Amino acid sequence: MMCLSDDELQMLADNALDKKDRTRALSHIKSCAHCQEQYTQIQSVFTFLESEPAVNLPAGFADAVAACAVGKYPPLADTRLNISVAQPVPTNQVRTKRMQNRIKDIAIAAVVAITLSILLNWLSSNSLGTAVDALGYDLDTMDIPFAYAMLLFTLTIGVFVIDAFMYRRFNKLNIHGRDRK
Amino acid sequence: MQRTDAELIRRSREADGDAFAELVRRYEKRVFGIVYRMLDDYAEATDITQETFIKTYTHLDQFDDERPFMPWLATIALNLARNSLASIWAKRQALDDDLSSNTDEFTCLEVLDEVQSVLSHLTPEQREVIVLRHISDLTYEAIAEATGEKVSTVKSRLFEARQRIKLLRIHEEAKL
Ligand SMILES: [Zn+2]
């Protein structure tokens, strides 16, 4: 058999020969000192080229990049890795988050205000009614606190629903972050 | 149990940061290797590696799950590195022009390792096929797709580049 060409030897090293040619080439190399020497040289070029660079990425690179990609944290330029950010968090995600936070704040404020007003109302009506009439409440006056209680109950449920919805949205966008490490 | 690439990609599409971090960990060395070996600039290579993964993340919907991940990733990294190389060359050119008028100044070039200094003797095209073959372990066909060349061109370019490297190394050893 003829000696292997340089291209054939390189393809052998690249694992790019079909099975038949590969077997033939390997058996030739075994019996031919010249081709064996050539093949060894190619393999040494491979080893050389595949040696790792002396430098590497900073530790924690993957986590930082992933966090930046999913928008969990502000741009990476602010992190301790100090890697400049290529692409900021998509603004529509930031906007959605901001809007959701605003709705939540308004809802909480409304509940607090209503609860306070009900409590004050209740207390004042009790003290104004005084002890004399304390037992004399009829159903008409009882209706007012009852209506307030129903309103409060409905609002609480509403806030729970909004909160649950937002929690799910945050988790999906991975910007909730509070219960993650 | 180790999760497959396909599973990590699927979860990353649903904005699972941990899954995407795992995916990055799996490929960061190879992506950095390609870019660093092409650019010879650590800071720039780190930036481009980061940019590659961010771009990957934002385009995950376009990735075909049936195919291997590395060739796709390598294509993105290669294109970003090519753009960066163009601007680096423009900057160096400007610096050279500057230096020729002011000979007292000197530039502080990054110290290259042995592989870098050998690769610096290749053309950018030869360098591309070498890094795609040896660092990302791509087949001739995948390299052809990533570089936009014909398979036959990739092969001849690769074989020539290795011949040149072989000679350069013999030359280097003779100098020692
Ligand atoms: Zn032979």
Side-chain angles (χ1 to χ4, degrees), chain A residues 1-4 28-29 32-36:
Chain A
M1 184 196 159
M2 269 187 10
C3 277
L4 298 165
H28 174 78
I29 285 172
C32 173
H34 171 73
C35 287
Q36 198 164 45

Side-chain angles (χ1 to χ4, degrees), chain A residues 68-128:
Chain A
C68 176
V70 299
K72 194 154 114 184
Y73 295 110
L76 280 178
D78 295 344
T79 70
R80 67 195 151 77
L81 277 175
N82 197 25
I83 304 168
S84 67
V85 66
Q87 219 167 323
V89 181
T91 45
N92 59 339
Q93 277 187 19
V94 175
R95 223 173 287 145
T96 317
K97 189 193 169 192
R98 235 178 260 151
M99 211 181 69
Q100 285 166 347
N101 275 339
R102 211 165 291 154
I103 295 169
K104 197 174 181 174
D105 290 347
I106 292 168
I108 290 168
V111 171
V112 170
I114 290 166
T115 313
L116 276 176
S117 77
I118 290 166
L119 277 174
L120 285 173
N121 202 330
W122 214 339
L123 283 173
S124 61
S125 69
N126 272 345
S127 56
L128 281 175

